[in-house]
Amino acid sequence: MPTSEDYKGQVPAWCPGCGNFQILSAVKQALVELGIEPWEVLAVSGIGQSGKLPHYMKCHTFNGLHGRTLPVATAAKLANHSLHVIAVAGDGDCYGEGGNHFLHAIRRNPNITLIVHDNQIYGLTKGQASPTTAKGTRTKVQPSGVPAEPMNPLALAISQDCSFVARGFAGDPEYLKELMKAAITHKGFSLLDILQPCVTFNKVNTFKWYRERVYKLEAEYDPYDRMKAFERVLEWGEKIPNGIFYKKDKDTLEEMFPTIREEPLVRQKFSIEDVKSEIEKFY
């Protein structure tokens, strides 16, 4: 049985008080409680403060280009679907630079987990507005205020029939851990958007601000009701619901390829003759 110590990586270099610490802790605890060993996990990230998380864990890791987390995570899952693949991204990294990959990952439905550190700001590059920054917010680059409405990634995901859509809060690590366990064990593409206060560059959406607004979805809430899910993810302001908003049972991307449905590609043995035979089928 693994322990949190088994997942201990490098010493985090985040700002003191950053919400990323709680996310890191919740990921480790979720994996431990699920009985998943470090060698069974691949953590993939792009660029940003969120992108550092895999370095602070002891497991297989891949740190790639800005916004390109999901293509790598998808490819890894196709090559070895016995791995638990966790894609780690920020709101800018995933919903900005990686927005197109986000949409198509939902369509393809690979069996991977996407954890988004949503702090509504670009933290690594010192405080520019991200796709989820509220309209009117003043930043160094937008001194007169952000002119555009913020993106609602959960509503977008549900509109594309994403198979698992949830939101958590870094200030409630116990509930966040449970949401992570649900996301990791879900069969299909799972999105877990996490409200993660940036204590350095976002002075609006603080821990206090969220604690006054965040609440859990009711126990009787039905996550299979798509229209109700739309209604709840559009709720933002004085009250902000957290929990699993939507679930849909769907075939995964890996199941659509007969050659890897039963056995991961990395465990299959091919001879030169096998390869030639497969190539000849296309000519």
Side-chain angles (χ1 to χ4, degrees):
M1 184 72 178
T3 66
S4 291
E5 194 65 22
D6 294 328
Y7 278 99
K8 186 176 181 181
Q10 300 176 29
V11 177
W14 291 315
C15 301
C18 177
N20 285 330
F21 286 98
Q22 288 93 328
I23 296 176
L24 174 62
S25 177
V27 172
K28 291 180 180 179
Q29 286 299 320
L31 291 168
V32 167
E33 292 187 16
L34 290 171
I36 300 173
E37 298 284 352
W39 57 268
E40 297 177 299
V41 177
L42 169 64
V44 182
S45 69
I47 301 299
Q49 294 293 354
S50 61
K52 298 177 181 179
L53 186 142
H55 300 284
Y56 306 148
M57 292 181 61
K58 193 174 184 179
C59 61
H60 300 296
T61 63
F62 189 103
N63 188 213
L65 300 175
H66 204 184
R68 307 299 182 253
T69 305
L70 289 172
V72 174
T74 301
K77 189 67 177 183
L78 286 173
N80 187 359
H81 55 75
S82 64
L83 280 174
H84 294 275
V85 179
I86 300 175
V88 183
D91 44 318
D93 182 39
C94 185
Y95 305 142
E97 285 82 354
N100 56 334
H101 297 303
F102 175 60
L103 286 172
H104 295 297
I106 293 173
R107 289 180 52 239
R108 296 178 181 122
N109 196 40
N111 189 17
I112 63 178
T113 303
L114 171 61
I115 296 173
V116 181
H117 301 222
D118 191 350
N119 58 14
Q120 297 162 278
I121 208 80
Y122 278 96
L124 185 66
T125 50
K126 308 300 183 284
Q128 298 89 344
S130 80
T132 57
T133 304
K135 183 177 181 179
T137 302
R138 296 175 184 272
T139 74
K140 296 176 181 178
V141 180
Q142 294 89 7
S144 299
V146 177
E149 294 290 341
M151 174 185 177
N152 187 325
L154 302 187
L156 177 60
I158 294 171
S159 76
Q160 299 304 303
D161 210 22
C162 183
S163 68
F164 182 101
V165 180
R167 180 167 59 210
F169 170 43
D172 187 354
E174 186 63 28
Y175 188 50
L176 180 59
K177 177 194 67 178
E178 295 304 318
L179 291 173
M180 284 190 178
K181 288 164 64 176
I184 292 169
T185 56
H186 172 75
K187 178 188 171 186
F189 183 76
S190 55
L191 166 64
L192 176 55
D193 184 84
I194 304 172
L195 303 174
Q196 176 254 308
C198 174
V199 296
T200 301
F201 297 111
N202 188 339
K203 304 300 184 181
V204 176
N205 309 111
T206 62
F207 279 102
K208 181 178 183 295
W209 189 90
Y210 279 122
R211 287 195 176 103
E212 292 172 349
R213 292 166 172 79
V214 166
Y215 72 94
K216 298 181 180 69
L217 290 171
E218 303 80 11
E220 63 274 15
Y221 174 82
D222 179 12
Y224 290 94
D225 186 333
R226 193 178 183 191
M227 292 301 102
K228 180 60 70 173
F230 262 123
E231 180 182 329
R232 299 307 289 272
V233 297
L234 293 176
E235 186 179 343
W236 183 273
E238 291 305 310
K239 293 293 182 181
I240 303 173
N242 275 357
I244 300 173
F245 292 93
Y246 185 61
K247 294 175 70 174
K248 176 76 174 288
D249 297 326
K250 303 166 67 174
D251 290 333
T252 65
L253 180 63
E254 306 89 88
E255 293 175 323
M256 304 306 293
F257 294 95
T259 53
I260 63 172
R261 187 179 297 146
E262 302 299 329
E263 187 176 25
L265 186 63
V266 294
R267 294 181 182 172
Q268 297 183 31
K269 297 185 183 300
F270 298 95
S271 65
I272 296 298
E273 288 71 27
D274 292 331
V275 175
K276 288 181 179 179
S277 177
E278 288 298 317
I279 293 176
E280 288 171 356
K281 292 179 181 179
F282 294 94
Y283 295 95

